[in-house]
PDB file of all heavy atoms in Angstrom:
ATOM      1  N   PRO A  26      25.657 -54.944  71.116  1.00  0.00           N
ATOM      2  CA  PRO A  26      26.018 -53.747  71.891  1.00  0.00           C
ATOM      3  C   PRO A  26      26.462 -52.589  71.006  1.00  0.00           C
ATOM      4  O   PRO A  26      26.149 -51.439  71.266  1.00  0.00           O
ATOM      5  CB  PRO A  26      27.159 -54.250  72.776  1.00  0.00           C
ATOM      6  CG  PRO A  26      26.924 -55.712  72.909  1.00  0.00           C
ATOM      7  CD  PRO A  26      26.398 -56.130  71.574  1.00  0.00           C
ATOM      8  N   GLU A  33      22.181 -44.987  70.043  1.00  0.00           N
ATOM      9  CA  GLU A  33      22.224 -43.941  71.067  1.00  0.00           C
ATOM     10  C   GLU A  33      22.985 -42.718  70.568  1.00  0.00           C
ATOM     11  O   GLU A  33      22.552 -41.578  70.775  1.00  0.00           O
ATOM     12  CB  GLU A  33      22.880 -44.483  72.338  1.00  0.00           C
ATOM     13  CG  GLU A  33      22.050 -45.529  73.076  1.00  0.00           C
ATOM     14  CD  GLU A  33      22.811 -46.154  74.234  1.00  0.00           C
ATOM     15  OE1 GLU A  33      23.952 -45.694  74.502  1.00  0.00           O
ATOM     16  OE2 GLU A  33      22.290 -47.095  74.850  1.00  0.00           O
ATOM     17  N   GLN A  37      21.474 -38.979  69.876  1.00  0.00           N
ATOM     18  CA  GLN A  37      22.022 -37.855  70.628  1.00  0.00           C
ATOM     19  C   GLN A  37      22.517 -36.749  69.698  1.00  0.00           C
ATOM     20  O   GLN A  37      22.227 -35.567  69.910  1.00  0.00           O
ATOM     21  CB  GLN A  37      23.168 -38.323  71.524  1.00  0.00           C
ATOM     22  CG  GLN A  37      23.776 -37.213  72.376  1.00  0.00           C
ATOM     23  CD  GLN A  37      22.769 -36.568  73.306  1.00  0.00           C
ATOM     24  OE1 GLN A  37      22.192 -37.223  74.154  1.00  0.00           O
ATOM     25  NE2 GLN A  37      22.534 -35.260  73.133  1.00  0.00           N
ATOM     26  N   ARG A  46      22.586 -27.281  69.668  1.00  0.00           N
ATOM     27  CA  ARG A  46      23.859 -27.401  70.371  1.00  0.00           C
ATOM     28  C   ARG A  46      24.969 -27.578  69.327  1.00  0.00           C
ATOM     29  O   ARG A  46      26.124 -27.240  69.566  1.00  0.00           O
ATOM     30  CB  ARG A  46      23.823 -28.584  71.348  1.00  0.00           C
ATOM     31  CG  ARG A  46      22.960 -28.323  72.586  1.00  0.00           C
ATOM     32  CD  ARG A  46      23.067 -29.428  73.597  1.00  0.00           C
ATOM     33  NE  ARG A  46      22.388 -30.638  73.156  1.00  0.00           N
ATOM     34  CZ  ARG A  46      21.109 -30.919  73.427  1.00  0.00           C
ATOM     35  NH1 ARG A  46      20.385 -30.067  74.137  1.00  0.00           N
ATOM     36  NH2 ARG A  46      20.558 -32.028  72.996  1.00  0.00           N
ATOM     37  N   SER A  88      39.541 -33.710  57.848  1.00  0.00           N
ATOM     38  CA  SER A  88      39.257 -32.699  58.877  1.00  0.00           C
ATOM     39  C   SER A  88      37.957 -32.962  59.613  1.00  0.00           C
ATOM     40  O   SER A  88      37.283 -32.042  60.047  1.00  0.00           O
ATOM     41  CB  SER A  88      39.230 -31.298  58.247  1.00  0.00           C
ATOM     42  OG  SER A  88      38.228 -31.221  57.238  1.00  0.00           O
ATOM     43  N   LEU A  93      25.728 -29.836  58.078  1.00  0.00           N
ATOM     44  CA  LEU A  93      25.438 -29.219  56.779  1.00  0.00           C
ATOM     45  C   LEU A  93      24.677 -27.907  56.913  1.00  0.00           C
ATOM     46  O   LEU A  93      23.799 -27.774  57.781  1.00  0.00           O
ATOM     47  CB  LEU A  93      24.632 -30.185  55.914  1.00  0.00           C
ATOM     48  CG  LEU A  93      25.436 -31.286  55.211  1.00  0.00           C
ATOM     49  CD1 LEU A  93      24.490 -32.297  54.588  1.00  0.00           C
ATOM     50  CD2 LEU A  93      26.345 -30.688  54.139  1.00  0.00           C
ATOM     51  N   THR A 161      -0.610 -35.418  65.469  1.00  0.00           N
ATOM     52  CA  THR A 161      -1.844 -35.981  66.025  1.00  0.00           C
ATOM     53  C   THR A 161      -2.986 -35.892  65.023  1.00  0.00           C
ATOM     54  O   THR A 161      -3.773 -36.835  64.888  1.00  0.00           O
ATOM     55  CB  THR A 161      -2.239 -35.259  67.325  1.00  0.00           C
ATOM     56  OG1 THR A 161      -1.189 -35.426  68.286  1.00  0.00           O
ATOM     57  CG2 THR A 161      -3.527 -35.825  67.903  1.00  0.00           C
ATOM     58  N   GLY A 167      -6.389 -41.975  60.803  1.00  0.00           N
ATOM     59  CA  GLY A 167      -6.528 -43.423  60.740  1.00  0.00           C
ATOM     60  C   GLY A 167      -5.782 -44.137  59.632  1.00  0.00           C
ATOM     61  O   GLY A 167      -5.982 -45.331  59.420  1.00  0.00           O
ATOM     62  N   ALA A 169      -2.253 -45.393  58.701  1.00  0.00           N
ATOM     63  CA  ALA A 169      -0.938 -45.602  59.313  1.00  0.00           C
ATOM     64  C   ALA A 169       0.209 -45.236  58.381  1.00  0.00           C
ATOM     65  O   ALA A 169       1.227 -44.687  58.809  1.00  0.00           O
ATOM     66  CB  ALA A 169      -0.800 -47.058  59.763  1.00  0.00           C
ATOM     67  N   GLU A 180      10.502 -35.178  60.954  1.00  0.00           N
ATOM     68  CA  GLU A 180      11.868 -35.357  61.439  1.00  0.00           C
ATOM     69  C   GLU A 180      12.846 -34.511  60.626  1.00  0.00           C
ATOM     70  O   GLU A 180      13.786 -33.927  61.172  1.00  0.00           O
ATOM     71  CB  GLU A 180      12.260 -36.832  61.334  1.00  0.00           C
ATOM     72  CG  GLU A 180      11.546 -37.747  62.306  1.00  0.00           C
ATOM     73  CD  GLU A 180      12.278 -37.843  63.625  1.00  0.00           C
ATOM     74  OE1 GLU A 180      13.495 -38.061  63.619  1.00  0.00           O
ATOM     75  OE2 GLU A 180      11.627 -37.677  64.672  1.00  0.00           O
ATOM     76  N   GLN A 192      10.183 -15.926  68.230  1.00  0.00           N
ATOM     77  CA  GLN A 192       9.485 -14.660  68.394  1.00  0.00           C
ATOM     78  C   GLN A 192       8.111 -14.909  69.022  1.00  0.00           C
ATOM     79  O   GLN A 192       7.380 -15.806  68.594  1.00  0.00           O
ATOM     80  CB  GLN A 192       9.296 -13.976  67.041  1.00  0.00           C
ATOM     81  CG  GLN A 192      10.580 -13.762  66.247  1.00  0.00           C
ATOM     82  CD  GLN A 192      10.294 -13.249  64.866  1.00  0.00           C
ATOM     83  OE1 GLN A 192       9.761 -12.153  64.695  1.00  0.00           O
ATOM     84  NE2 GLN A 192      10.646 -14.032  63.860  1.00  0.00           N
ATOM     85  N   LYS A 235      13.083 -16.547  55.722  1.00  0.00           N
ATOM     86  CA  LYS A 235      13.577 -15.338  56.392  1.00  0.00           C
ATOM     87  C   LYS A 235      14.643 -15.643  57.437  1.00  0.00           C
ATOM     88  O   LYS A 235      15.157 -14.739  58.095  1.00  0.00           O
ATOM     89  CB  LYS A 235      12.421 -14.605  57.079  1.00  0.00           C
ATOM     90  CG  LYS A 235      11.307 -14.168  56.139  1.00  0.00           C
ATOM     91  CD  LYS A 235      10.177 -13.525  56.936  1.00  0.00           C
ATOM     92  CE  LYS A 235       8.995 -13.174  56.050  1.00  0.00           C
ATOM     93  NZ  LYS A 235       7.870 -12.614  56.860  1.00  0.00           N
TER      94      LYS A 235
END
Side-chain angles (χ1 to χ4, degrees):
E33 291 173 5
Q37 182 60 60
R46 287 187 288 269
S88 60
L93 280 170
T161 299
E180 290 272 312
Q192 305 173 63
K235 301 177 185 177

